Amino acid sequence: MTAPTDMTTHLDAVLSRMTLAEKVGQLNYPSGAGGGIAGVAEAVDVPTMIRRGMICGISAGDDLAARRELQRLAVEEGPNGIPLFFGKDCIQRYKTGGPIPLALSCTWDLDLIGRIAAMCAREARADGINLNWAPMLDICHDARWGRIAEGNGEFPYLGARIAEVVVRAYQGADGDMARPDRFMATLKHFMGYGLARAGRDYASVEASPATLARIMEPFRAGIAAGAGAVMVAFNTINDIPVTAHRTLLQDVLRKRLGFRGIIVTDFTAIDPELIHHGVAEDSRAAAYLAFKAGVNVDLVSQAFLNHLPGLVADGIENPAAYTGPDGTYRFGPVTEAEITDRARQVLEAKWRLGLFHDPYIGMDEALRERVTYTAANRALVREAAAKSLVLLKNDRDVLPLRPDRGRIAVIGPLADDRIDMQGTWAIDVDPTKSVTILEGLRAQAGERILHAKGCNIVDDPSLAARLNMHNRSMPSVIIGPDTPEAMLREALEVARSADAILLCLGEAKEHAGESSTRADIALPAAQRPLFDSLSAFARTSGKPLILIAMAGRPLALSHEVAGVDALIWAGHLGNEAGNAIAEVLFGRVAPSGRLSQALPRSVGQLPLRTEDLVTGRPIWGAGVELAEDTALDAKGRHWFRKFTTACILEEPMTPLFPAGFGLTYTSFRYGPLRATSTHLRGAGELTVTVEIANTGPRAGTEVAQAYLHDLVGQTARPRRQLVGFERITLAPGETGTVAFRLTPDDLRYPVGDSLTDLRHAWEPGEFELLIGANAEDVARLRFRWDRA
């Protein structure tokens, strides 16, 4: 058969042959082959559904042969020969496990992130996966939320740049996905999922249109880069479930952002979740609301399959029932023309993937062997893991350690844990191929490395069972066999025999991820006695104490930072975690990670947002020291110059470590800011440069960051807003220059009282550009912009 050459002509012909039921089938994505899933009443007979044209794709088959056979059924025995999607959650990794996205974003290295994403696409497409349920672009300010691990930090600007890079790496810079090393990106979760109240997964979201517009920037960027799919969020926004939110999905996503791809629900988001939300009385009503909102593909629930044909027939027979201003069915009847349009969009996505030309693209055993878990892939994830480590403290320059001098006690439940190194959503990563921290250190320092477990990750058996839920056959969170007291005694004995102590504490991989909210973001309680005992021992003995805090979220480490000489925050780093950590600890690689999310002092600071709005009483003016240090303003009112605890009684308002913060094994000095002008006019461009000198003894990488502050606007403006960053690597004594270019586009901000009224404003006036090593340590330059 001759391969089709024109998409419109070919799809017109396919659609003309399809029955209404077969078109609806292209909007149905049930559970995987051979079994049911939450929200599906009975097991899904996938082969029969394929033969009847009732299915557009599946998350099915753990091996290539199974996927090939299902694709053969679709194209050879299906009524119209339409190939299948095979989708999976490849959250920045497929077979070769690299750092979780939150950790990867701490590299601020877009080239590296792009190479990791390209590796993921290459491995997955060679295994038959053509549709990826990633990247996750949700902006979050509350570290209690478990899915913060899957995101790219708190900055919309950084998230937008990462979205562009990842989409182009998945789909190709030219958008040609008909290749065996590319697959389709799904931007998720549109919208507001990361703003869940108190970090409780799936909880409601209350957010202004301007706030939604700010956190929408990563989606805007991903759509502009050509993303083929968008997944809607589970949550409600301002009382309306996003799955049924016509304004968000049609007026904003389709019209304002210009998205032309497919809109998919999250799993079971139609049925039963719209029923649970209380906006639909039954599955039929839920299907109607989601379809009328603009959804293309129903994941798992099969509500579209079960009810759309009947809704079309009912609309023809009883159109008056769909014309009233009130009630569930107020948006007019469902028509076959609408279903045809939605099915066309699904078929267009399959065309873009090359499936109508070759439905078996990439399904090649030999290709899979050549591109999966290769030496180059392992080297890449090792590089990424090392670059994602964030050095937060290094008193007495205790780091780097010497592998050839002294003994090092490696203590903690994560020291020899290869499973939790993978982090959440490492569905297809083989943990047996992972290198633990202990193994990585021993590979470089041999017998000088001593070891003790010290404590359990958690002591609660019920919590341990929950943390092992996705790896029950190979549990990582194991209680015992020794008692906590016995493990602590052993740890102290090992510490006494060593010259330096490395503590490996933090979270199991399932402490983070979906449905993994934490009430407290401190170290798990079972680990605190070990920390306190070793901190006290190190203080009295004078032995260096280094803490690696591994987690899927920012942790509150106020207590710990005061009790250690050196502190590293590490996300879950993947297969090469142990080797990467050893390279950084021993100085073979200098740390270069910078926080993409501020670390709070305590859970009481949450939500914590670096780009927070300026308040009527700024934190630097709301104090308690009134008697000795006040001043009068021009109207005779008291103005507080000093503050101690501001509005929080127990601790400062500032984060423990600001976003953008990170140390290395050298030091940098910033010169004065220099601008081509301090007056930007019209559509002109302003360039601001700064010289950065490496004043320390080692080579190192600095991440210079630029933040904008609009002094006066129609609405309250953030105290600072990230607008640029540059990585620069300098030898000892070397000086380099970084440049930041601003145009009026960088000055725009969202205004409007509703989502339909939302627009971006460009206002003449005074601005400040803040440039420095992190969000707090900055130099300021004031400039003005006028329209002409």
Side-chain angles (χ1 to χ4, degrees), residues 79-242:
N80 296 287
I82 298 172
L84 298 170
F85 289 131
F86 291 105
K88 266 204 173 180
D89 295 88
C90 307
I91 312 296
Q92 289 295 61
R93 51 257 171 96
Y94 184 55
K95 294 292 188 181
T96 307
I100 59 172
L102 178 62
L104 197 58
S105 71
C106 290
T107 68
W108 299 63
D109 187 334
L110 297 178
D111 173 74
L112 172 64
I113 293 169
R115 287 185 283 132
I116 288 284
M119 177 197 72
C120 176
R122 190 164 55 246
E123 288 192 342
R125 193 71 190 263
D127 207 22
I129 307 301
N130 50 43
L131 178 58
N132 188 15
W133 306 131
M136 195 192 88
L137 303 180
D138 298 294
I139 299 295
C140 177
H141 306 117
D142 195 326
R144 289 172 291 189
W145 191 53
R147 301 197 78 169
I148 198 171
E150 302 169 53
N152 300 308
E154 66 170 291
F155 293 116
Y157 180 86
L158 177 59
R161 303 292 76 77
I162 291 174
E164 293 168 340
V165 166
V166 170
V167 168
R168 289 172 183 149
Y170 285 170
Q171 301 186 172
D174 57 0
D176 179 10
M177 289 181 279
R179 290 178 33 165
D181 58 350
R182 295 175 181 176
F183 60 179
M184 184 169 284
T186 304
L187 312 181
K188 67 180 188 184
H189 306 84
F190 190 85
M191 268 299 297
Y193 187 31
L195 304 185
R197 184 172 297 171
R200 298 194 303 270
D201 210 359
Y202 320 122
S204 60
V205 172
E206 303 290 333
S208 70
T211 293
L212 293 174
R214 281 191 287 270
I215 66 172
M216 206 177 290
E217 286 304 307
F219 290 91
R220 181 191 298 274
I223 289 166
V230 167
M231 180 181 287
V232 300
F234 284 117
N235 52 279
T236 62
I237 287 184
N238 302 331
D239 303 336
I240 302 175
V242 180

Side-chain angles (χ1 to χ4, degrees), residues 25 134 182 193 314 332 360 370 381 487 540 616 618 661 699 757:
R182 295 175 181 176
Y193 187 31
D314 190 50
Y360 306 105
R370 288 198 305 273
V381 297
M487 287 188 286
T540 57
F661 182 84
D757 180 46

Side-chain angles (χ1 to χ4, degrees), residues 39 241 243-244 268-291 298 301-304 306-308 310-311 314 322 327-329:
T243 307
T268 73
I270 296 178
D271 180 6
E273 295 186 32
L274 288 182
I275 301 170
H276 292 168
H277 279 301
V279 299
E281 63 183 359
D282 55 25
S283 182
R284 181 179 186 272
Y288 174 84
L289 289 173
F291 184 81
D298 169 14
S301 80
Q302 302 199 87
F304 279 3
N306 294 332
H307 301 295
L308 288 185
L311 284 165
D314 190 50
Y322 299 89
T328 300
Y329 298 97

Side-chain angles (χ1 to χ4, degrees), residues 14-53:
V14 172
L15 287 163
S16 70
R17 298 192 300 267
M18 295 174 72
T19 65
L20 173 61
E22 290 163 358
K23 293 173 188 174
V24 171
Q26 289 303 305
L27 313 183
N28 181 46
Y29 188 111
S31 67
I37 200 166
V40 179
E42 56 188 7
V44 175
D45 181 357
V46 169
T48 297
M49 294 181 73
I50 291 173
R51 291 186 179 98
R52 294 176 180 174

